[in-house]
Amino acid sequence: MTVDRALIEQAAQLLRGCARLAVLTGAGISKESGVPTFRDAMDGLWARYDPQELATPQAFARNPKLVYDWYTYRRELVAGAAPNPGHYALVDLEPLIPEVTIITQNVDGFHRAAGSRTVIELHGSLGEDRCSANCRGAPTLVKPGAALPAAPGEPPRCPYCRSFLRPNVVWFNEALPVEALERAMQVSRSCDVMLVVGTSGVVQPAASLPYWAVRSGAKLIDVNPGMDEIGPAADVFLQGPSGEVLPQLVDALRTPA
Ligand code: APR
């Protein structure tokens, strides 16, 4: 899919004068890696579960094994996938712009795997388990080899206090890691341009970051094949899948105006 050349050029022009770029990403950037977005319908075994109903502390309290297994399924999906040209295009921006910071809502680790150097993970990481009671402080991470093995019908348990283990991700109705959120707000308030990629823009507080950026004088570019909540506020809206749009943007930026 080729995006309107004039719009790509407009976005490139914003980036040419940019010293500090903040990039806010959501599940859409990993879609072309084969990882379903949060609000996509799931298929197979999980088709009848709503992710928004599984990703809560209440769901874990009701049925820890179900929630833990769902994350095992998501981990396997991610383990069998890899970053796509959208993730790599963001890495390619680093030599072109003095400061590039990725703020991601994704827990798949693909930005770091692709080689992005400064990544703020707002919603934690799928690659880690922690004690659900955080018995040794937040977060009490537990390496796979250290976990007490799962009894039938249960998740594995914490080796220190025997509470269930859970993925080190942020669920609905939970607070974000304070340090990550503070850094994300500071980066959003001090960037020249914010590039938003593949998020529906409906989950707070991440969805407010583009508005903090605009209020502080930044320009806004949004990339999404569909419309999202942030698009109407964008200076340039690039409609298309990020695995195609972002490499075109990098090419335009490399070409002198
Ligand atoms: N390229 C870019 N964007 C895409 C692509 C693509 N190839 N395919 C789909 N999208 C867009 C969709 O149009 C949608 O706007 O990605 C967005 C995905 O939206 P969500 O599924 O809502 O994901 P996200 O915004 O990351 O959700 C935020 O909600 O459930 C929680 O914690 C979870 O981090 C997640 C948060």
Side-chain angles (χ1 to χ4, degrees):
M1 179 176 177
T2 307
V3 185
D4 185 332
R5 194 70 218 161
L7 286 177
I8 292 273
E9 186 47 42
Q10 264 182 41
Q13 195 53 32
L14 293 179
L15 292 178
R16 279 191 192 101
C18 173
R20 281 188 283 203
L21 174 68
V23 186
L24 174 66
T25 66
I29 195 169
S30 296
K31 171 110 176 181
E32 287 150 276
S33 295
V35 179
T37 69
F38 243 81
R39 286 164 183 81
D40 270 341
M42 295 291 255
D43 40 20
L45 181 61
W46 296 101
R48 63 204 165 95
Y49 294 101
D50 177 353
Q52 296 187 70
E53 280 168 21
L54 287 176
T56 67
Q58 292 77 11
F60 188 69
R62 258 193 321 269
N63 193 339
K65 169 82 172 143
L66 175 76
V67 173
Y68 195 86
D69 283 355
W70 185 60
Y71 277 92
T72 302
Y73 162 77
R74 290 183 71 90
R75 280 175 175 153
E76 284 166 1
L77 256 176
V78 167
N84 68 59
H87 297 100
Y88 289 112
L90 295 180
V91 180
D92 291 341
L93 286 176
E94 292 191 8
L96 304 172
I97 297 172
E99 212 177 291
V100 178
T101 305
I102 313 272
I103 304 167
T104 189
Q105 299 167 87
N106 299 344
V107 294
D108 55 33
F110 284 164
H111 287 300
R112 285 189 217 277
S116 282
R117 282 182 305 172
T118 310
V119 182
I120 301 172
E121 289 176 320
L122 283 180
H123 292 172
S125 164
L126 199 54
E128 298 167 338
D129 260 348
R130 69 169 170 85
C131 169
S132 56
N134 267 342
C135 64
R136 298 204 165 179
T140 301
L141 300 179
V142 176
K143 295 214 164 69
L148 299 179
E154 292 184 349
R157 287 179 182 264
C158 172
Y160 314 119
C161 73
R162 301 191 54 83
S163 296
F164 290 137
L165 293 188
R166 55 163 282 180
N168 186 32
V169 299
V170 176
W171 286 331
F172 288 105
N173 309 327
E174 289 188 319
L176 271 61
V178 172
E179 200 205 324
L181 181 59
E182 273 178 7
R183 278 181 65 210
M185 289 188 67
Q186 186 264 324
V187 166
S188 302
R189 285 205 192 100
S190 59
C191 64
D192 304 309
V193 178
M194 178 174 276
L195 171 62
V196 178
V197 185
T199 180
S200 53
V202 295
V203 175
Q204 296 292 354
S208 290
L209 296 175
Y211 300 99
W212 283 109
V214 169
R215 258 186 91 162
S216 308
K219 297 292 182 190
L220 197 59
I221 304 169
D222 187 19
V223 178
N224 199 311
M227 200 15 111
D228 58 55
E229 292 295 314
I230 294 158
D235 294 282
V236 185
F237 181 67
L238 299 174
Q239 185 160 24
S242 47
E244 296 176 32
V245 173
L246 292 177
Q248 290 177 47
L249 183 57
V250 172
D251 281 349
L253 193 56
R254 283 184 178 139
T255 313

